Every structure is written in structure tokens, then in C-alpha cells.
Amino acid sequence: MDWLERVARLRQWTRSGKRAPHKPLLLLYALGRFQRDGDGELRYSAVEADLQRLLAEYGPPNRTTPAYPFHHLVNDEVWEVRTDRGYGSPGSGVRDLRETGATGRLAPGLRDALRSEPELLGRMARLLLDRHFPPSLHSELCESAGLETEPGDVVRLPVVRRQRDRRMRELVLTAYEYRCAFCGYDGRIGTVPVGLEAAHVRWWAFGGPDDVDNGLCLCSLHHKLFDKGVLGIDGGHRVLVSQRFVGHSPAAREHVIALAGRPLLGPQPGARPVAAGHLAWHAGQVFHGTPRPAVTA
């Protein structure tokens, strides 16, 4: 089994489509550290805050800890841990990892492969991003993890066996009459829509189909906020705005906070609205915190 296959087959806790991106986030962070330092040692007590921040930003809404992947990633044979007493992890307890001076880094064979094949790092990062996160978050996640990737690194890998349906964008934009379902933005340059995107409600990386009833036409801003868990949709197809979002400018109030409680715009008659199952997945796995009360006129 080569290194890309090994990373593609990371063992993760899964149940009913729930997200568990703990190991992928740790690996992305470790790859970023390897880029800056070929040894790439990560002392748990020194990186715990960084890893916790990544989990808070890009993990599921429920509170979790980076101690879990720091210990368990060893079982996937891409990671090693040693303590002040020698090689081997002391367990997944936060206190044990801190007090024993636990330090992790990429497995020796993987480090050798990354040194001998410089392009492997970018392909591995792309694989992790494609399998666990929506495209709207890839660039900022790389930045947050300290990864510097070049355009040439962004390649499709044969390990990713599902193929996206290229027709989805056109079908979704048509269903929503080429306007953002949250704010109504409908900009064009000539006849070409600009700043409008087809967003998956249930992420493609987690089995979300390329179907109209799993899609929304959103402007670029609201697509990003939807995938970040700032915006959501309730069972009555009204917009949710997380209380975690803070913005004091008129623009933040007008373009985000004022959306709370608004009904979705579309889809047009005859087009299928977002399926309840996909809405429930997004509410449970992506949307963060408690919704703000609806804004009254």
C-alpha cells in the first residue's frame, strides 16, 4: 500500500454520516510543519492550542479534543509518538500527553517519501481536503494549518473514486433562477453569472449527492458562511444565523445578521426543494452554536 492509499484509508469513527475530521486536521497541520521543518516534531503541549483551534473552526459542532487523533493516528502507520520515557503514546488522555512530554511527528517512512518526492506533500494535502472538506474551505484551511500549496499541487487523484456530476452547477442555478437563495444577489457580466455558486447542503465528501435537492444557489460570501456553519436552514426553510457570528459594521448586519429568519428564495415551482435529510445533516454536522432570533422589520 502506498502512502496516498494509506492516508485515504485513515480509520475514523463514523456513524450515520457524522463528521470526524480529527485525524485529517492533525495530518494537514503536521504536513505544514514538515514544509517548514523537515524534522517536524510536534510537542503536544506546544501545539494543543493550535490543534484545538482547527477542530473548533473546521470540526463538528460538538466539543472535542486533539488528544484523540494525537494518540490514535499511530494506528494508521503514518504517525509516531514518543514521550520523555521513550517511544510509544501514553494514551489519549490530555493530562497524560501533557505530563509525559508526548511528541508526535510523521512516520519515518513517510518523511523519507516526502523528501524524495517533493510533489507528494501537495497531493497528500489535496487528498485530505477532497475527502473531508468542501472546496470553499480548502484555501483558508491550508492557511490555518500552515500549508503552502502551489496551483500544481491541486490535482485530482485516482484514490478519490466518486466522480462529481458536472451538470449540478447548471441544474442548481437554474432551479434557483440564478440568484442567491439567501440574499437574492444575481450579478452577471454580460450573460455569464458571476459570484454565484452551487453549494452542497450535505457535503460531497460525506456522501452528499450531486442532486438539486442537495443544492443551493448561493453567492460566494454566503456559500463560505454556509460551509463554515455561520449560516444554516431550519425545517421550515428559513435562514439560521449562528450566535457565534459577530459583526458590528453596517455590512455585517445587512449581509449576515439581517438574514436570520428570512425564508429561502426559491427554488422555482417544479424544482425540488432541499431534502429534509440533508438539512438535518447540515444542522447537526456543520451549523455551529445557537441560532439568532429572527430579525423583525
Side-chain angles (χ1 to χ4, degrees), residues 3 44 47 57 111 144 177 209 225 243 246 253 255 260 266 287:
W3 291 108
Y44 182 79
V47 301
E57 284 294 315
R111 298 199 307 272
S144 296
E177 300 181 282
L225 295 178
Q243 289 185 352
V246 177
R253 291 196 298 270
H255 298 302
F287 186 77

Side-chain angles (χ1 to χ4, degrees), residues 243-292:
Q243 289 185 352
R244 288 185 55 189
F245 178 82
V246 177
H248 301 292
S249 67
R253 291 196 298 270
E254 178 183 352
H255 298 302
V256 183
I257 295 172
L259 296 177
R262 281 191 194 176
L264 283 185
L265 301 173
Q268 63 175 285
R272 291 174 294 165
V274 180
H278 300 321
L279 289 178
W281 183 89
H282 188 276
Q285 298 303 309
V286 181
F287 186 77
H288 280 273
T290 304
R292 287 173 173 266

Side-chain angles (χ1 to χ4, degrees), residues 105-127:
R105 63 178 179 175
L106 300 174
L110 177 52
R111 298 199 307 272
D112 291 342
L114 291 170
R115 291 188 186 103
S116 62
E117 303 175 55
E119 73 281 358
L120 178 61
L121 190 147
R123 298 178 69 206
M124 190 169 288
R126 179 63 179 191
L127 175 61

Side-chain angles (χ1 to χ4, degrees), residues 7 24-37 42 79 106 110 114 120-126 128 145-148:
V7 167
L25 286 171
L26 174 57
L27 261 183
L28 287 167
Y29 186 85
L31 289 171
R33 181 63 64 90
F34 182 86
Q35 276 186 322
R36 301 189 300 277
D37 172 11
L42 305 176
W79 180 251
L106 300 174
L110 177 52
L114 291 170
L120 178 61
L121 190 147
R123 298 178 69 206
M124 190 169 288
R126 179 63 179 191
L128 289 165
L147 267 168
E148 297 180 6

Side-chain angles (χ1 to χ4, degrees), residues 156-273:
R156 295 293 174 185
L157 301 173
V159 183
V160 183
R161 294 180 178 87
R162 283 183 67 211
Q163 297 296 316
R164 293 180 183 269
D165 187 340
R166 297 181 182 276
R167 299 172 300 169
M168 181 185 177
R169 181 179 184 275
E170 183 64 27
L171 292 173
V172 169
L173 266 59
T174 298
Y176 286 84
E177 300 181 282
Y178 292 86
R179 63 178 180 173
C180 176
F182 287 171
C183 69
Y185 168 81
D186 60 355
R188 295 172 180 261
I189 296 177
T191 60
V192 180
V194 60
L196 288 172
E197 301 166 356
H200 284 76
V201 178
R202 183 186 181 108
W203 295 354
W204 184 87
F206 286 84
D210 289 331
D211 295 335
V212 170
D213 66 1
N214 186 42
L216 287 171
C217 176
L218 296 178
C219 66
S220 300
L221 170 64
H222 292 138
H223 187 179
K224 172 65 74 67
L225 295 178
F226 186 64
D227 285 345
K228 287 279 286 186
V230 170
L231 299 177
I233 306 170
D234 68 14
H237 290 237
R238 291 182 176 272
V239 181
L240 301 175
V241 179
S242 173
Q243 289 185 352
R244 288 185 55 189
F245 178 82
V246 177
H248 301 292
S249 67
R253 291 196 298 270
E254 178 183 352
H255 298 302
V256 183
I257 295 172
L259 296 177
R262 281 191 194 176
L264 283 185
L265 301 173
Q268 63 175 285
R272 291 174 294 165

Side-chain angles (χ1 to χ4, degrees), residues 17-170:
K18 291 185 177 180
R19 295 201 298 136
H22 308 67
K23 289 180 178 180
L25 286 171
L26 174 57
L27 261 183
L28 287 167
Y29 186 85
L31 289 171
R33 181 63 64 90
F34 182 86
Q35 276 186 322
R36 301 189 300 277
D37 172 11
D39 187 44
E41 284 197 336
L42 305 176
R43 192 175 183 88
Y44 182 79
S45 58
V47 301
E48 181 181 8
D50 283 350
L51 296 175
Q52 189 66 61
R53 175 178 51 80
L54 284 174
L55 279 171
E57 284 294 315
Y58 303 103
N62 54 296
R63 185 167 177 78
T64 186
T65 170
Y68 168 84
F70 205 92
H71 166 71
H72 288 287
L73 189 58
V74 172
N75 297 328
D76 295 283
E77 301 181 344
V78 297
W79 180 251
E80 65 177 9
V81 176
R82 63 177 176 82
T83 67
D84 294 338
R85 298 190 294 265
Y87 279 94
S89 173
S92 59
V94 171
R95 184 175 178 179
D96 292 335
L97 289 167
R98 291 172 180 166
E99 293 183 351
T100 61
T103 300
R105 63 178 179 175
L106 300 174
L110 177 52
R111 298 199 307 272
D112 291 342
L114 291 170
R115 291 188 186 103
S116 62
E117 303 175 55
E119 73 281 358
L120 178 61
L121 190 147
R123 298 178 69 206
M124 190 169 288
R126 179 63 179 191
L127 175 61
L128 289 165
L129 292 167
D130 273 346
R131 292 180 85 84
H132 302 284
F133 304 97
S136 67
L137 300 183
H138 289 184
S139 294
E140 70 167 68
L141 210 167
C142 284
E143 184 176 348
S144 296
L147 267 168
E148 297 180 6
T149 56
E150 298 295 331
D153 295 332
V154 182
V155 295
R156 295 293 174 185
L157 301 173
V159 183
V160 183
R161 294 180 178 87
R162 283 183 67 211
Q163 297 296 316
R164 293 180 183 269
D165 187 340
R166 297 181 182 276
R167 299 172 300 169
M168 181 185 177
R169 181 179 184 275
E170 183 64 27

